[in-house]
Amino acid sequence: MFVLGLQGSPRSKGNTSTLLSAFLDEVEKSGGRVKNLDVTRMKILPCLGCGTCEKKGYCPRDDDMQAMYPVLREADLVVLATPIYFYGPTAQMKLFIDRSQALWSRKYVLGMEDPGRKWRQGFLLAVGATKGKNIFDGTKLTAKYFFDAVGADFSGTLGYRKVEHVGDIDSHPTALGDARARAKELTAPFLNRKKLLFVCTENACRSQMAAAFARQMAGDRFEVESAGSAPAEKSNPMMETVMVEKGLDMAYLKPEAISDLPDGWQPDFVVSMGCEVDCPTFPGAVMEDWDLSDPAEESVAFMRDIRDQVENRVENFISEHMPS
Ligand SMILES: Cc1cc2nc3c(=O)[nH]c(=O)nc-3n(C[C@H](O)[C@H](O)[C@H](O)COP(=O)(O)O)c2cc1C
């Protein structure tokens, strides 16, 4: 389980940061993996509204945001944490939000679905100095559409009024405890999933496709990873094309080595695609091999055939091991 926290206050030890840290600390204690990203320290340029993402599916602005698209795609839960500035999120957070337009375009203009979309959750943490009834309304709306763009369901808000000076949140009677409780609650369903690893040689075609289908079909029951014994430089473009025919967006995936799997991540199931070389062993895991031909150097028709075989096998695997 991976939780991405987006810290949006320029005060690095301010109320937002304390609240988010409490939330993420509880996730870690429960056994989840976290990344606490200080958005205000990143170099993120504003969206120019140039329309490149609508035509080509990517943002041409060359800055720290480029590395964030894959991280957003990897997250099971995205936590947006911001102080209220003029009834909205901070300008730094808004830059980040606006640049998620590239993901919005991939979905709504180009018609591709992120394989993690069905199960990813989004949560909002916010603080404001005043006691106004509506102080969180603008930010909640912005968060709702941000979460939709990054492929997450908006699963709630914790917002605290009359929190102004650094340290105010520490003396709030319930805030930090609430954040910990919500973290536990939101994390629990993800932690009960079985760990499923797909491996092949290059992690550029077969195991990537299998992982995407498994995430889409059963990301609530399986925590899915894929890796290769000798990973390629990049995913196979023809594989990406044939997956788009299935409506699945394979962008921002990079072939990974088996040694790059998260620390201490022990799979319950390992499925190899056709163990030509260096097939790894994982003590304690249920292993199976699907003996699928490598489509890397073959025709598009061959790639489609492998894709369809992978899809069927993933479907059968899920109904055999973890039906809904
Ligand atoms: C530029 C600016 C605008 C603000 N606008 C609002 C506002 O509209 N409503 C509100 O309740 N508080 C507003 N505040 C107060 C902050 O939300 C509040 O101090 C918060 O606790 C800061 O969180 P932090 O410690 O994480 O930076 C504003 C503060 C600043 C600096």
Side-chain angles (χ1 to χ4, degrees), residues 7-19 81-88 90 126-132 135-136 160-169:
Q7 199 293 110
S9 170
R11 299 205 290 209
S12 60
K13 295 200 168 100
N15 298 303
T16 306
S17 164
T18 304
L19 194 59
T82 184
I84 301 300
Y85 276 16
F86 287 87
Y87 281 78
T90 58
V127 292
T130 64
K131 58 179 167 67
I135 63 171
F136 301 115
Y160 295 97
R161 296 175 173 81
K162 296 203 267 182
V163 172
E164 183 168 14
H165 303 293
V166 171
D168 281 358
I169 201 78

Side-chain angles (χ1 to χ4, degrees), residues 4-8 37-40 42-47 64-69 71-72 78-80 90-103 146 150:
L4 175 64
L6 305 173
Q7 199 293 110
L37 200 74
D38 191 339
V39 167
T40 69
M42 294 169 62
K43 185 185 149 220
I44 301 180
L45 300 165
C47 172
D64 292 347
M65 192 65 197
Q66 294 301 339
M68 292 303 106
Y69 298 120
V71 183
L72 283 162
V78 179
V79 184
L80 190 161
T90 58
Q92 293 91 331
M93 183 60 89
K94 189 64 166 43
L95 289 175
F96 189 103
I97 291 169
D98 286 356
R99 292 286 299 286
S100 71
Q101 179 74 359
L103 300 179
F146 165 69
V150 304

Side-chain angles (χ1 to χ4, degrees), residues 23-314:
F23 188 103
L24 296 179
D25 181 61
E26 194 62 43
V27 172
E28 274 192 304
K29 275 194 186 144
S30 309
R33 203 161 47 91
V34 304
K35 189 174 181 78
N36 188 342
L37 200 74
D38 191 339
V39 167
T40 69
R41 302 292 184 274
M42 294 169 62
K43 185 185 149 220
I44 301 180
L45 300 165
C47 172
L48 295 175
C50 64
T52 305
C53 62
E54 296 190 7
K55 292 185 205 88
K56 300 191 173 164
Y58 66 87
C59 177
R61 306 225 77 181
D62 183 13
D63 60 10
D64 292 347
M65 192 65 197
Q66 294 301 339
M68 292 303 106
Y69 298 120
V71 183
L72 283 162
R73 284 271 161 110
E74 201 194 325
D76 295 304
L77 170 64
V78 179
V79 184
L80 190 161
T82 184
I84 301 300
Y85 276 16
F86 287 87
Y87 281 78
T90 58
Q92 293 91 331
M93 183 60 89
K94 189 64 166 43
L95 289 175
F96 189 103
I97 291 169
D98 286 356
R99 292 286 299 286
S100 71
Q101 179 74 359
L103 300 179
W104 182 93
S105 293
R106 295 188 75 83
K107 179 173 182 189
Y108 287 110
V109 181
L110 304 174
M112 293 181 263
E113 170 127 332
D114 166 9
R117 170 68 188 93
K118 263 198 224 160
W119 321 105
R120 188 175 300 119
Q121 301 290 311
F123 193 75
L124 172 65
L125 296 173
V127 292
T130 64
K131 58 179 167 67
K133 188 168 154 270
N134 304 322
I135 63 171
F136 301 115
D137 291 1
T139 307
K140 277 188 192 171
L141 268 177
T142 305
K144 179 177 171 197
Y145 290 101
F146 165 69
F147 287 135
D148 185 53
V150 304
D153 277 344
F154 191 4
S155 58
T157 304
L158 282 176
Y160 295 97
R161 296 175 173 81
K162 296 203 267 182
V163 172
E164 183 168 14
H165 303 293
V166 171
D168 281 358
I169 201 78
D170 298 275
S171 37
H172 189 282
T174 64
L176 301 184
D178 297 343
R180 288 181 179 278
R182 289 310 298 273
K184 226 174 175 162
E185 201 180 296
L186 286 162
T187 309
F190 288 104
L191 291 170
N192 293 330
R193 295 176 299 175
K194 292 281 179 201
K195 295 188 175 69
L196 169 58
L197 174 64
F198 292 101
V199 285
C200 64
T201 310
E202 293 197 314
N203 189 220
C205 291
R206 292 165 295 176
S207 56
Q208 290 278 9
M209 291 193 282
F213 283 125
R215 264 189 204 119
Q216 192 202 33
M217 290 179 208
D220 57 335
R221 282 154 280 158
F222 288 102
E223 183 174 328
V224 185
E225 295 281 351
S226 72
S229 52
E233 290 259 301
K234 57 186 185 70
S235 293
N236 185 305
M238 204 203 296
M239 177 279 288
E240 294 192 23
T241 305
V242 303
M243 289 299 272
V244 171
E245 292 169 4
K246 286 270 169 187
L248 281 180
D249 187 0
M250 304 297 282
Y252 308 114
L253 295 170
K254 198 177 161 302
E256 302 280 353
I258 290 162
S259 54
D260 290 338
L261 288 167
D263 280 351
W265 199 83
Q266 293 287 344
D268 299 291
F269 300 95
V270 178
V271 179
S272 51
M273 298 289 110
C275 251
E276 301 92 8
V277 274
D278 294 339
C279 192
T281 53
F282 293 85
V286 175
M287 311 269 301
E288 68 179 68
D289 183 61
W290 286 357
D291 196 21
L292 293 162
S293 305
D294 185 355
E297 306 293 327
E298 306 289 341
S299 67
V300 68
F302 195 90
M303 183 70 84
R304 279 193 192 108
D305 180 49
I306 295 295
R307 173 202 65 194
D308 293 343
Q309 288 187 50
V310 168
E311 185 180 19
N312 284 336
R313 280 175 178 267
V314 168

